[in-house]
Amino acid sequence: MTATGPRNAPDAPDATHAVNAVNVVDVVDVVDVVTLGESMVAFQPSRPGRLADVPSFDRGIGGAESNVACALAAAGHTARWIGRVGADGFGDHLVETIGSYGVDVSRVRRDPDRPTGVYFRTAGDRSGDAHEVAYYRAGSAASAMSVDTVGLDAVRAGRVLHLTGITAALSADCLGLLRELTAARPGRPLVSFDVNHRPRLWTDGDGPRILRELARGADLVFVGEDEAADVWGLDGPDAVRAAIPEPEVLVVKQGAHGATLFHRDRVHGDRVHGDRVHGDRVQEDSVLHVPAPRVDVVAAVGAGDAFAAGFLSATLRGLPARDRLRHGHLTAAAALTVPGDLAVPPTRDHADRLAALDDTAWGRLRLGPGWTQAPAAPEEVRTP
């Protein structure tokens, strides 16, 4: 699947305020979305069982930020993934595979001294007690990303810059890079931040504090309700919003129950600095909950990245809040109904048709394997 440029992805002046703001020198390089982070070669078992018992593995790729870039490119947006990989065969595989989705990988840097990260995992749901994952990413090329080793002009040359908390945990230099990118700067792109807490990466106990700091510096934040409870001890969407009041848009993902969006309109002035707003008149939050459709889950992997991609796609198109959440749910459903992290998203027309359903029809929606390939809505929807 490839995408060579934007298809029906017009500028959206009525979308979130910063989506069209960009401060770059090379205008030709401006894309819809830039993502930055580590992508790794993923080895998935050829059959169920313990890692010790699996005789062979199938090779794939894994990386939250590159997943989002691939999904957005497949949906018709221009997307750039920026990362750092080793000067090795695994690095070649990552760059070639991500590029095959239509993602701009021209700014990926190769490190001759550090390897590309890899990991092995067992089959099945990652949340199960029997699930195993073995990471070999310590000292990887990606952990050497910093303000000095990444081209900041290319990173900021997008209408949206999408980051995750995973990158901040890789090294002190990576954390410094994310702090630079989430700092208030005139003309910065809209900064999207997915908390993406990975407890095994935060060995010093600083994860909760740092992730909250980075989230407060972003314009758009994604966080799971269960994730917020684990990281910050927060109970429910309202508590999450109270702890992270600064972002204009906060999306609290609630799994099969749906997602809740908090949106604060702001007119005039600068971004939030700490707990104060300088020169702005801030309106009260508008709050919207949209239930998720029922999904016949094949594998609960990649859904969070897919949700972010669907929501960002709808944001870039200037769609209303309800449809942004519905597009997030639909793109997540595409990932949930395939075995791997990456799935072919529904076509734009297909997703628009489903997102436009009335509340009753949306509530009856049930999506199973293969639904994204159905030629018409009635053929991929099964109702009880």
Side-chain angles (χ1 to χ4, degrees):
M1 133 180 70
T2 61
T4 57
R7 298 191 299 272
N8 192 27
D11 288 343
D14 56 337
T16 304
H17 88 284
V19 75
N20 287 315
V22 63
N23 181 21
V24 293
V25 174
D26 187 358
V27 177
V28 176
D29 279 337
V30 174
V31 294
D32 289 335
V33 178
V34 175
T35 71
L36 176 145
E38 180 172 33
S39 190
M40 296 181 291
V41 173
F43 290 96
Q44 303 172 18
S46 56
R47 64 174 175 80
R50 301 184 309 155
L51 287 179
D53 300 328
V54 174
S56 61
F57 295 80
D58 297 320
R59 184 180 64 177
I61 66 171
E65 299 85 0
S66 58
N67 286 348
V68 171
C70 289
L72 283 164
H77 297 281
T78 51
R80 172 183 298 135
W81 170 63
I82 293 180
R84 193 172 178 87
V85 300
D88 49 35
F90 289 148
D92 293 341
H93 176 65
L94 282 174
V95 173
E96 292 167 6
T97 302
I98 295 169
S100 73
Y101 281 82
V103 176
D104 174 10
V105 292
S106 63
R107 305 306 176 97
V108 176
R109 296 192 174 178
R110 310 301 291 263
D111 191 322
D113 301 318
R114 297 176 179 83
T116 302
V118 302
Y119 70 96
F120 297 77
R121 69 174 177 86
T122 52
D125 190 344
R126 291 178 179 173
S127 63
D129 292 337
H131 180 73
E132 298 174 73
V133 59
Y135 287 105
Y136 299 90
R137 72 195 308 177
S140 69
S143 69
M145 289 189 295
S146 71
V147 293
D148 297 319
T149 62
V150 169
L152 295 182
D153 286 343
V155 174
R156 292 178 170 132
R159 297 168 62 197
V160 173
L161 170 60
H162 181 71
L163 308 167
T164 81
I166 298 172
T167 306
L170 298 181
S171 68
D173 282 342
C174 285
L175 173 57
L177 175 60
L178 257 66
R179 281 177 165 151
E180 167 64 25
L181 294 174
T182 55
R185 296 278 187 269
R188 80 176 190 185
L190 182 147
V191 175
S192 166
F193 181 74
D194 193 335
V195 171
N196 244 322
H197 179 235
R198 296 290 186 269
R200 292 176 58 177
L201 293 177
W202 294 100
T203 58
D204 56 7
D206 284 341
R209 176 183 60 79
I210 291 172
L211 291 172
R212 183 166 178 256
E213 170 200 331
L214 295 172
R216 294 177 70 180
D219 302 299
L220 164 59
V221 172
F222 300 98
V223 64
E225 183 176 37
D226 55 348
E227 181 179 43
D230 291 340
V231 182
W232 299 309
L234 301 174
D235 183 15
D238 289 339
V240 178
R241 184 49 159 173
I244 310 175
E246 292 85 358
E248 291 182 32
V249 178
L250 170 68
V251 179
V252 180
K253 299 173 291 183
Q254 298 167 278
H257 298 292
T260 298
L261 181 149
F262 297 84
H263 181 263
R264 177 171 298 140
D265 292 323
R266 183 176 298 126
V267 292
H268 307 303
D270 299 324
R271 299 175 190 278
V272 172
H273 297 270
D275 290 324
R276 299 171 57 209
V277 178
H278 296 284
D280 287 357
R281 175 169 58 83
V282 179
Q283 300 175 350
E284 293 295 323
D285 267 334
S286 59
V287 184
L288 176 66
H289 175 82
V290 171
R294 284 171 289 179
V295 178
D296 296 332
V297 176
V298 172
V301 294
D305 302 332
F307 182 96
F311 188 94
L312 289 174
S313 175
T315 298
L316 284 161
R317 297 170 59 203
L319 300 184
R322 185 204 70 171
D323 291 358
R324 296 183 195 190
L325 288 172
R326 285 188 173 185
H327 276 270
H329 288 319
L330 291 168
T331 311
L336 289 169
T337 49
V338 298
D341 288 24
L342 287 171
V344 178
T347 65
R348 184 170 292 185
D349 288 345
H350 190 172
D352 284 346
R353 273 201 313 274
L354 295 181
L357 292 172
D358 62 39
D359 289 345
T360 300
W362 178 262
R364 290 199 300 263
L365 196 60
R366 182 171 181 176
L367 305 171
W371 73 270
T372 61
Q373 305 304 308
E379 297 184 24
E380 91 282 341
V381 179
R382 298 195 292 109
T383 55

